[in-house]
């Protein structure tokens, strides 16, 4: 059986070039395209099922690159909503989708990651959970080899778009609502993961509010950990009037700590995960529609694959108090 390696060797080109020709990539010279197609026909090469499936698609294959949090299963809800939204919209747009986890490529350099995606006929990538530490992915974005949409990371260039809520405004809004309702003056803010883009943006939002309202702000890093937020709440909540958390999971940890300490402090979170409806207290939170965000990311990737340039797409957010009755409907 003739393989793609045989075609590449006979044509004198790289395997990735053969893949590009088979998948009708635009950035291949006509001379190379004709040479590869001649070898394909002469050797009787039959593309694999991936290439065959791509021929029936409008825009080719895209990858959803997700980061798993192995410390807790609670965050799986967000990833599942992301995947659900992406698959639904991709099917509608006749785009072929695969799911890749960052742990699968974490030991690769940028060339190896590029070859990994190109060998599977990937033309576009949606990156979820990008941080400043992900140097290889930053290089991949800068290379322009793929059309890319990043979720919640301020990266826009010719071939890259960003999709997400305005985290600065959302954090400002939910903290203001909670603080105003409870007439708070001293705020304990439990921030998210170090080096995270959303962490920096949400921190900017709470700082802006406290500066405007002349509130005393104490910031501690919770790393999006329920346990860490619980520990910080036990240490610092008595000297503060309110606990503002950069995620719902941390807000749950903070609330449980306050219950165990038998003291009341208003707590608010961020995200709007279903788990918030089960904690027994109606906390304010920012509701993000993760399904809609992912659907929009697929639409944006489709736009980039059609030749448009990158842009920043801001999604709406709402302020809610999640109730048990609402989540069981």
């Amino acid at each position: 059986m003739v393989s793609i390696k045989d075609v590449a060797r006979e044509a004198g080109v790289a395997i990735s070039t053969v893949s590009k020709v088979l998948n009708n990539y635009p950035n291949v010279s006509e001379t190379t395209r004709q040479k590869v197609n001649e070898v394909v026909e002469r050797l009787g090469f039959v593309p694999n099922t991936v290439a065959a499936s791509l021929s029936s698609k409008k825009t080719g294959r895209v990858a959803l690159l997700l980061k798993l949090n192995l410390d807790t299963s609670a965050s799986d809800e967000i990833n599942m909503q992301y995947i659900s939204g992406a698959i639904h919209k991709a099917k509608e747009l006749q785009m072929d989708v695969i799911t890749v986890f960052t742990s699968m490529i974490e030991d690769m350099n940028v060339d190896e990651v590029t070859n990994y995606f190109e060998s599977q006929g990937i033309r576009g990538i949606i990156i979820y959970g990008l941080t400043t530490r992900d140097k290889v992915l930053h290089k991949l974005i800068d290379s322009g080899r793929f059309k890319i949409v990043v979720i919640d990371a301020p990266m826009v260039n010719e071939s890259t778009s960003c999709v997400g809520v305005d985290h600065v405004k959302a954090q400002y809004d939910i903290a203001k609502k909670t603080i105003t309702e409870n007439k708070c003056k001293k705020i304990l803010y439990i921030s998210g993961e170090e080096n995270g883009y959303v962490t920096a943006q949400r921190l900017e939002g709470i700082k802006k509010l406290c500066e405007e309202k002349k509130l005393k702000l104490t910031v501690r890093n919770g790393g999006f950990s329920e346990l860490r937020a619980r520990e910080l709440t036990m240490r610092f909540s008595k000297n503060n009037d309110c606990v503002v958390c950069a995620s719902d999971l941390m807000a749950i940890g903070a609330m449980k700590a306050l219950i165990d300490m038998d003291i009341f402090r208003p707590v608010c979170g961020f995200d709007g995960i279903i788990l918030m409806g089960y904690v027994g207290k109606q906390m304010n939170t920012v509701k993000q529609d993760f399904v809609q965000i992912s659907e929009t990311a697929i639409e944006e990737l489709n736009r980039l694959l059609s030749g448009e340039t990158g842009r920043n797409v801001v999604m709406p957010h709402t302020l809610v108090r999640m109730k048990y009755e609402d989540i069981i409907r």
Side-chain angles (χ1 to χ4, degrees), residues 19-134:
S19 177
K20 288 179 180 180
V21 172
L22 293 173
N23 294 304
N24 297 314
Y25 274 47
N27 58 333
V28 179
S29 71
E30 189 58 32
T31 300
T32 300
R33 191 181 302 277
Q34 290 177 0
K35 180 168 60 175
V36 170
N37 284 330
E38 185 275 326
V39 173
V40 167
E41 184 176 352
R42 175 159 50 84
L43 296 182
F45 172 67
V46 178
N48 60 23
T49 54
V50 170
S53 70
L54 290 177
S55 64
S56 65
K57 304 295 181 180
K58 287 184 177 179
T59 55
R61 203 175 216 210
V62 301
L64 311 178
L65 184 57
L66 296 124
K67 184 173 294 185
L68 289 178
N69 183 352
L70 300 179
D71 295 328
T72 175
S73 60
S75 61
D76 289 348
E77 177 194 330
I78 296 175
N79 279 337
M80 289 307 299
Q81 289 188 49
Y82 277 147
I83 293 171
S84 174
I87 291 175
H88 175 266
K89 183 57 65 173
K91 182 178 181 181
E92 179 183 314
L93 296 175
Q94 296 184 4
M95 299 169 74
D96 193 35
V97 175
I98 67 169
T99 300
V100 178
F101 297 102
T102 53
S103 58
M104 300 164 63
I105 62 171
E106 62 185 1
D107 296 325
M108 299 182 186
N109 60 38
V110 67
D111 291 332
E112 291 169 333
V113 171
T114 299
N115 291 336
Y116 174 81
F117 284 124
E118 287 186 341
S119 69
Q120 299 186 63
I122 299 299
R123 294 185 60 200
I125 305 169
I126 300 178
I127 302 177
Y128 303 84
L130 184 72
T131 70
T132 58
R133 293 194 307 266
D134 299 318

